[in-house]
Structure formats: C-alpha cells, structure tokens
Amino acid sequence: MLKLYNQTFPSRLLLGTAAYPSPDVLRQSVEAAQPAMITVALRRAQSAGETHGQGFWELLQQTGIPVLPNTAGCQSVQEAVTTAQMAREVFETDWIKLELIGDDDTLQPDVFQLVEAAKILIDDGFKVLPYCTEDLIACRRLLDAGCQALMPWAAPIGTGLGVVHGYALRVLRERLPDTPLIIDAGLGLPSQAAQVMEWGFDGVLLNTAVSRAGDPAKMACAFAQAVAAGRAAREADPVEAREQAQASTPTVGQPFWHSAEY
C-alpha cells in the first residue's frame, strides 16, 4: 500500500480530472483505475464553463475517492499559498498538490519559490505534495522545508514523452531511499509507468495520458495494471542485466553432446 504522511492508500496510481470528453467518461475512467486520489484544480472547480458547475463536484464526491486539490496555474508564492488555503475551505482537506510554475513554455516548476511556498503551507498544517523537477538538491531543500513526499516530473506536463532524464530520476531514487517519490507529468504509455515503478518509485500521477486517449477508461485500466505490475516486479527482485549469454537449460544429462568427431 502507498503511504503518504502516515496515511495509507490501496492504490499507487493518482488520476487527474481535467480535459475529459465528458463527465461520464471521467466517471468511467475513475472507476476503471480506482486511484488512491483524484486531483482537481480549484480554478476548474470554480469554472462552470469547464466543469459543469455543481454537477462536477457532485461527480467527484460520488466516486468515493479522496480529492487532492492542486494549485495549477500559480506563478508566485502568494498566489499558490492563497489558492491552497481557498482549496482547503472548498474541498475540506488539508492535502494539497503544490504547483508553482516558473516557465510558461515548459511548465517547469520554479524550485526556488516552490521551497518557500512549501514551508509556509507546511507551517500552516498542510500535507504538501510538491510538483518538482528531478534535481536532487532542490528535492533535498523541499524535504528540509518539511515535505514528506515529492512528485518529480518525468517530462513536461501533457507531452506524453515518457522519462526524459532517466539517469537523474534513478539517482534521485537511490539518494532518497526513504522518501515517497511519485512520478508526476509527462508519461504517455503504461509501459513507461511500469518502468518507473520497476526503478523503485512509489507511485504515478496521470492526467493527459488518460483523458486524451481514444478510450480513456480502457487506458486508465491499462495504467492501473502497469503500475501494479511494475511494483510487483520491483518487489520480486529482478535479475541483473548482463551482456554475456547464460544458458537457462542445464547441459548435464542431455542425450547428445558435442564431441570432436561430430
């Protein structure tokens, strides 16, 4: 089970709620994935044009899945803190996915402001899950600020590129062995989710890869299976890769054997 801030969850998959073709498709996708949490931006929840108003909020409640509000679109510490505090009132939860964007093109997190905002929110009683890069030093600063889990990206949001900097992510996993790390952003295929889980990451957060798929519910199910398979493979202690072939069939007792005359 996934454990975050001393709370356990039955799934290691988190699912976003943006950009689905319809509320019904969103509902089907959540049911198919059975995620640990579903993320929603406060700004979307307040926009009747995008979310169908009260009906959207009722849909989220009907799923029975815990809601993880996020501060999507925020570009300053004050904006992120204020949005988080408003989200706590609206969604009645002290959980927050902290997004603080520093570049409009890549939607890359501003790690400097992110640390400052995280400290303010943690001091205010929030359980902060910061969306960050794979930079080890920035991640350490977030842990120093009081974060108990991190959400490094695999690639820029919505690109579906999969893991761009695999070496850096593997180093991050190795150097922070006791910190829950959830891959957030950039995955496009279930195989990519399985890969990061095999590397030892604790979970995966998805949105675009599911919501923009031709069949979102089927893709949600595929990702849920991939995350579970990747975790099981990690726990099974896989064999180490080697460059030289090694026979898996024993040669002793074979009826025929090569000889000098043959």
Side-chain angles (χ1 to χ4, degrees):
M1 299 181 72
L2 177 64
K3 187 174 183 180
L4 302 171
Y5 286 93
N6 295 317
Q7 184 171 334
T8 56
F9 300 89
S11 171
R12 293 179 178 272
L13 174 65
L14 288 74
L15 193 64
T17 58
Y20 285 81
S22 70
D24 190 53
V25 172
L26 169 58
R27 178 187 56 77
Q28 293 172 13
S29 301
V30 172
E31 290 177 352
Q34 288 298 300
M37 290 188 274
I38 49 177
T39 67
V40 61
L42 176 64
R43 294 178 180 184
R44 290 192 64 247
Q46 292 179 323
S47 170
E50 278 193 45
T51 65
H52 306 277
Q54 184 64 25
F56 175 75
W57 176 230
E58 291 175 354
L59 186 154
L60 297 184
Q61 291 178 308
Q62 289 168 7
T63 66
I65 305 295
V67 171
L68 174 65
N70 68 48
T71 61
C74 293
Q75 296 183 321
S76 72
V77 171
Q78 187 56 56
E79 188 179 14
V81 169
T82 300
T83 301
Q85 292 170 337
M86 293 173 62
R88 178 163 58 184
E89 297 300 320
V90 171
F91 298 109
E92 299 180 339
T93 179
D94 55 5
W95 288 84
I96 193 74
K97 178 190 170 187
L98 178 60
E99 294 185 31
L100 216 164
I101 302 303
D103 181 76
D104 290 336
D105 249 1
T106 63
L107 300 180
Q108 181 167 330
D110 183 332
V111 294
F112 301 99
Q113 292 196 92
L114 191 64
V115 172
E116 183 181 349
K119 188 175 189 313
I120 293 171
L121 291 173
I122 288 168
D123 289 344
D124 193 26
F126 281 90
K127 297 179 178 70
V128 178
L129 298 176
Y131 163 61
C132 56
T133 66
E134 71 282 0
D135 184 272
L136 174 62
I137 308 307
C139 288
R140 282 176 169 167
R141 296 295 177 267
L142 286 165
L143 295 178
D144 291 342
C147 295
Q148 295 183 24
L150 305 173
M151 304 183 80
W153 68 351
I157 294 172
T159 59
L161 290 171
V163 176
V164 174
H165 299 129
Y167 171 77
L169 281 176
R170 292 194 298 272
V171 168
L172 186 66
R173 176 68 287 175
E174 179 183 343
R175 298 303 299 274
L176 303 177
D178 300 321
T179 301
L181 299 175
I182 298 172
I183 294 296
D184 178 14
L187 298 182
L189 294 170
S191 58
Q192 297 162 355
Q195 180 183 58
V196 296
M197 296 300 294
E198 290 169 4
W199 288 349
F201 284 85
D202 298 279
V204 165
L205 191 152
L206 306 161
N207 193 123
T208 304
V210 172
S211 66
R212 298 292 192 186
D215 187 334
K218 183 174 288 187
M219 186 62 77
C221 181
F223 266 105
Q225 293 172 339
V227 168
R231 179 66 182 187
R234 172 73 176 188
E235 293 175 341
D237 191 17
V239 299
E240 292 186 11
R242 52 182 291 154
E243 294 184 0
Q244 186 175 1
Q246 182 178 25
S248 59
T249 304
T251 57
V252 176
Q254 288 185 344
F256 301 101
W257 190 246
H258 294 288
S259 67
E261 297 178 357
Y262 180 69

